[in-house]
Amino acid sequence: MNLWRYLAKRLLLMIPTLLGVLLLTFAVIQFVPGGPVEQLTQQLRHSAEGGEAASTASSGLYRSQGLDQEQLAELKTLYGFDKPASQRFIDMLWRYARFDLGESFYHHQSVGSLILSKLPVSMSLGLSSFLLTYLCCIPLGIAKAVRHGSTFDLLSSTVILVGYAIPGFVLGVALLVLFGGGSFLQWFPLRGLTSDDWATLSPLGKALDYLWHLVLPVTASVVGSLAVMTLLTKNTFLEQIRCQYVLTARAKGLSERKILYKHVFRNAMIPLVTGFPAAFIGAFFAGSLLIETLFSLDGLGLLSYESVVKRDYPVVMGSLYVFTLVGLFTRLLSDLCYVWVDPRVQFDAARG
């Protein structure tokens, strides 16, 4: 019963949080200059005047730019700005309650289908980075904790901290120069996720070609998170190794291997396991603008940036709604995993 009460409370708390995020973003958008009406009007003026540079400052200037009030009203109606902001916000909430994210101003397709079309690219990048991070950081962190203070520990810490200090896009540029046909080797492709002859390849050839294109962008995006997770793993294992129950187990004559993997491993994995759902689900929606731009990957990061620049408000609000909703449920799932892996945490305590 406590579990269901806790879930009901958390689900109810999601509603004001989600509304607050949407309301704040919607309010900020109202004060951002250069909306879709202004941008389209300026494009029409450039076309009429042969590309002469000018700017639109207020609706009072539209008539001097070749648009009368009737045409201006039609543009506002086209983009939905003929209604008051409060009514537009309420209409948006009603659509979102039915998971209708609206239609993009510039792509001329639904926001939901647009996000789904960009999702495979970001999912490939994020999921590969996630798997590589966890597969490397856990054994490396355990090895560092067991050999704390050794030469291996110091050298590996130096390498991963240097990698952490290098921004992902800088590392990406270096990888392209070194291995992407820049000034040195041409081992990996410069851009995209598939080769030009991808459609003619066998299923195994397609898989290998896809992985081949992922090597450089995944390497550029994984180095920073790898350093953080490795040090977190090391510190949690090191903290557990110094606990009293480990000394007691050693006094009973248990081997170091049995102590490490039977007792220490279970307790030390709690922080990593609780962060696993957020990292796993986040991998499906991970969008790195710089990495995607650098390697010409048309994913969610590039979509979000372009929608902000073009003032494509349905895409901005729709993607924010999806990401916030996913983030809230992921946080709830992480808390449930914490209770699942650590019996000392009770829902009564969380409720209180």
Side-chain angles (χ1 to χ4, degrees):
M1 185 64 182
N2 291 332
L3 171 61
W4 297 111
R5 188 184 298 115
Y6 175 79
L7 287 175
K9 180 181 178 181
R10 289 295 301 271
L11 291 175
L12 290 176
L13 287 175
M14 288 182 185
I15 298 176
T17 303
L18 186 61
L19 290 177
V21 171
L22 292 176
L23 178 61
L24 180 62
T25 307
F26 185 85
V28 170
I29 284 177
Q30 306 310 306
F31 299 99
V32 176
V37 175
E38 288 83 357
Q39 290 192 11
L40 182 57
T41 304
Q42 194 171 19
Q43 291 176 6
L44 293 175
R45 180 173 183 264
H46 282 313
S47 300
E49 298 182 0
E52 180 182 353
S55 61
T56 303
S58 63
S59 60
L61 297 178
Y62 283 118
R63 247 180 299 182
S64 64
Q65 295 175 353
L67 290 178
D68 55 26
Q69 291 297 324
E70 183 178 353
Q71 292 172 321
L72 178 60
E74 290 178 357
L75 284 179
K76 289 184 176 181
T77 303
L78 176 65
Y79 290 114
F81 291 104
D82 56 326
K83 301 177 182 178
S86 57
Q87 183 177 351
R88 285 189 280 119
F89 181 71
I90 294 175
D91 293 341
M92 182 189 71
L93 292 181
W94 173 240
R95 292 198 313 270
Y96 285 2
R98 296 178 281 117
F99 291 97
D100 178 10
L101 303 181
E103 185 172 339
S104 169
F105 290 156
Y106 294 93
H107 296 277
H108 304 293
Q109 65 180 108
S110 66
V111 176
S113 62
L114 187 61
I115 293 176
L116 289 177
S117 67
K118 308 295 183 181
L119 185 58
V121 175
S122 295
M123 186 175 65
S124 299
L125 183 61
L127 193 58
S128 301
S129 302
F130 163 79
L131 293 175
L132 187 60
T133 298
Y134 269 83
L135 290 176
C136 292
C137 73
I138 293 178
L140 181 57
I142 295 175
K144 287 174 61 63
V146 174
R147 299 172 178 82
H148 177 63
S150 65
T151 303
F152 168 78
D153 183 34
L154 295 177
L155 290 178
S156 59
S157 295
T158 302
V159 171
I160 63 175
L161 288 177
V162 169
Y164 178 73
I166 300 176
F169 69 94
V170 174
L171 179 60
V173 172
L175 291 174
L176 285 176
V177 172
L178 292 174
F179 305 109
S183 303
F184 297 92
L185 304 173
Q186 192 172 0
W187 289 354
F188 300 99
L190 284 172
R191 63 191 63 193
L193 286 178
T194 56
S195 300
D196 295 335
D197 59 343
W198 189 79
T200 62
L201 298 176
S202 63
L204 179 59
K206 290 181 179 179
L208 293 177
D209 182 74
Y210 200 80
L211 294 175
W212 181 50
H213 282 74
L214 277 177
V215 171
L216 293 186
V218 168
T219 303
S221 61
V222 80
V223 172
S225 57
L226 178 63
V228 173
M229 291 300 298
T230 300
L231 293 179
L232 174 63
T233 304
K234 176 198 171 181
N235 292 333
T236 53
F237 271 84
L238 198 59
E239 181 182 357
Q240 292 298 321
I241 289 174
R242 293 171 177 173
C243 288
Q244 183 64 39
Y245 73 88
V246 174
L247 298 177
T248 303
R250 286 173 178 166
K252 292 181 178 180
L254 296 179
S255 64
E256 290 293 327
R257 184 179 182 85
K258 190 172 184 180
I259 293 173
L260 179 64
Y261 290 102
K262 184 176 180 180
H263 300 282
V264 174
F265 188 84
R266 181 177 59 184
N267 294 324
M269 285 297 293
I270 290 176
L272 301 177
V273 171
T274 54
F276 187 89
F280 182 75
I281 297 178
F284 287 84
F285 294 92
S288 175
L289 168 63
L290 295 174
I291 298 296
E292 291 181 4
T293 303
L294 182 62
F295 293 95
S296 300
L297 305 177
D298 190 13
L300 293 176
L302 192 59
L303 173 66
S304 300
Y305 172 75
E306 290 179 345
S307 62
V308 172
V309 172
K310 294 179 179 179
R311 304 297 191 268
D312 197 349
Y313 297 147
V315 177
V316 174
M317 297 300 299
S319 58
L320 177 69
Y321 170 73
V322 172
F323 296 158
T324 305
L325 197 61
V326 170
L328 291 173
F329 277 102
T330 302
R331 180 64 187 217
L332 174 60
L333 184 59
S334 297
D335 292 343
L336 293 177
C337 287
Y338 196 96
V339 176
W340 176 62
V341 299
D342 191 353
R344 294 171 296 180
V345 179
Q346 301 294 330
F347 285 109
D348 287 335
R351 185 170 57 89

